[in-house]
C-alpha cells in the first residue's frame, strides 16, 4: 500500500500537476510510458519512509532526500519543456525508440541490482550487522548499478520527449545527486569493509562502465 501511495503521489507531483495547463497531454503515449516506468521503479524497490530517513540521518546525511528532489527536477523539466514549449507531441521517431529502450533497459538493470543486493538494498545509506559486500551480477559491472539504471531511465524520459533542454538539466541534476550520495555511501562501505572495498573500487567504476 505504501508503494502504491508513493507512486501515485510522485507521479501526480512530477507529471500530472505540471500538465494541469494541458490536461489532454496526460493521455499522450509518451507520458503514459513515463508514468508506467515510474510506477515500475517504485514497486521494484523497498518503500521510502520518513522514519527511516530520520533514524539514519547520521549515516545517510539526508542524501535520499537530495536524490528525490533531483529526480523530481529531472522528470519535471523535460515534461514542462515538451508540453509548453514544443509544437509536436505525438511524433514517433528514432528518438522515441531510443528513449523507450533507455527507460526499459534502465528499469530492468535497476531491478536486477535491487534483487541481487536483496536485504542490503535500502533507500537510505546504512550498514547492517550482517552486511555483505556483493560483487556479483550487475555489481561486477559497476559499483552502484541501481543508480546506473535509474539514471538511464530518467534521462531516457527526456530523450523520449525529445527535450534536449530537459535532457541537459536531468543529466546535471542526477550527476550532482549521485556524486553526493556515492561519496557518502562509499565512505561508509570503506569504513566497514576496509581493504576489501578498496580492492573492489579499483576493479569497477561507480555508475558508468569504463568512464566514472
Amino acid at each position: 500500500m505504501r508503494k502504491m501511495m508513493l507512486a501515485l503521489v510522485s507521479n501526480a507531483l512530477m507529471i500530472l500537476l505540471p500538465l494541469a495547463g494541458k490536461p489532454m497531454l496526460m493521455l499522450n503515449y509518451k507520458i503514459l510510458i513515463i508514468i508506467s516506468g515510474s510506477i515500475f521503479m517504485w514497486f521494484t524497490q523497498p518503500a521510502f519512509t520518513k522514519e527511516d530517513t530520520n533514524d539514519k540521518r547520521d549515516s545517510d546525511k539526508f542524501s535520499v532526500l537530495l536524490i528525490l528532489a533531483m529526480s523530481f527536477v529531472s522528470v519535471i523539466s523535460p515534461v514542462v519543456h515538451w508540453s509548453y514549449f514544443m509544437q509536436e507531441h505525438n511524433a514517433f521517431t528514432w528518438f522515441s525508440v531510443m528513449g523507450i529502450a533507455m527507460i526499459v533497459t534502465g528499469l530492468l538493470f535497476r531491478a536486477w541490482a535491487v534483487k541481487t543486493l536483496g536485504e542490503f538494498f535500502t533507500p537510505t545509506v546504512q550498514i547492517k550487522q550482517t552486511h555483505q559486500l556483493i560483487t556479483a551480477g550487475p555489481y561486477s559491472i559497476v559499483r552502484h548499478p541501481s543508480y546506473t539504471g535509474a539514471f538511464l531511465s530518467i534521462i531516457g524520459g527526456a530523450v523520449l520527449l525529445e527535450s534536449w533542454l530537459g535532457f541537459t538539466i536531468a543529466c546535471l541534476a542526477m550527476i550532482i545527486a549521485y556524486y553526493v550520495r556515492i561519496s557518502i555511501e562509499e565512505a561508509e562501505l570503506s569504513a566497514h569493509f576496509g581493504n576489501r572495498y578498496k580492492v573492489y573500487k579499483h576493479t569497477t567504476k561507480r555508475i558508468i562502465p569504463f568512464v566514472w
Side-chain angles (χ1 to χ4, degrees):
M1 181 61 72
R2 179 178 290 276
K3 290 182 180 182
M4 176 64 76
M5 288 301 300
L6 288 169
L8 291 174
V9 171
S10 65
N11 278 290
L13 294 175
M14 290 190 302
I15 301 172
L16 301 183
L17 186 60
L19 289 175
K22 293 200 173 182
M24 290 302 295
L25 291 180
M26 293 180 186
L27 297 178
N28 186 280
Y29 80 93
K30 295 183 179 182
I31 294 299
L32 294 179
I33 289 172
I34 293 173
I35 289 175
S36 298
S38 174
I39 293 173
F40 180 86
M41 188 177 293
W42 280 112
F43 273 83
T44 52
Q45 66 183 21
F48 164 81
T49 67
K50 180 181 177 182
E51 293 74 21
D52 191 44
T53 302
N54 289 328
D55 291 344
K56 304 302 178 183
R57 60 182 180 274
D58 290 337
S59 58
D60 184 72
K61 297 178 173 59
F62 296 107
S63 63
V64 65
L65 298 181
L66 176 63
I67 288 180
L68 283 173
M70 290 304 196
S71 297
F72 271 50
V73 170
S74 299
V75 174
I76 290 172
S77 297
V79 167
V80 169
H81 182 231
W82 169 79
S83 58
Y84 296 100
F85 298 96
M86 295 174 63
Q87 299 300 316
E88 180 55 66
H89 298 121
N90 297 306
F92 188 81
T93 67
W94 283 110
F95 287 115
S96 306
V97 175
M98 186 184 303
I100 293 170
M102 290 171 69
I103 292 171
V104 172
T105 302
L107 290 172
L108 293 178
F109 193 68
R110 179 178 172 82
W112 182 27
V114 173
K115 184 176 181 180
T116 301
L117 204 58
E119 64 177 298
F120 305 121
F121 186 93
T122 54
T124 55
V125 175
Q126 54 180 285
I127 301 295
K128 299 184 177 182
Q129 269 191 328
T130 58
H131 216 98
Q132 298 176 21
L133 180 60
I134 306 297
T135 59
Y139 293 88
S140 65
I141 303 172
V142 288
R143 298 199 298 274
H144 304 277
S146 65
Y147 303 153
T148 303
F151 181 71
L152 188 62
S153 63
I154 287 172
I155 64 172
V159 174
L160 172 61
L161 298 175
E162 297 187 41
S163 169
W164 307 117
L165 175 62
F167 177 85
T168 302
I169 293 173
C171 284
L172 291 174
M174 296 314 301
I175 287 172
I176 291 171
Y178 288 140
Y179 178 81
V180 172
R181 172 62 173 244
I182 288 172
S183 297
I184 296 169
E185 191 169 337
E186 295 202 331
E188 292 289 324
L189 291 168
S190 294
H192 185 77
F193 291 109
N195 192 58
R196 288 179 61 202
Y197 196 74
K198 184 178 180 180
V199 171
Y200 176 53
K201 286 173 67 175
H202 280 95
T203 61
T204 50
K205 296 295 184 181
R206 292 178 179 90
I207 62 174
I208 304 176
F210 309 110
V211 179
W212 179 66

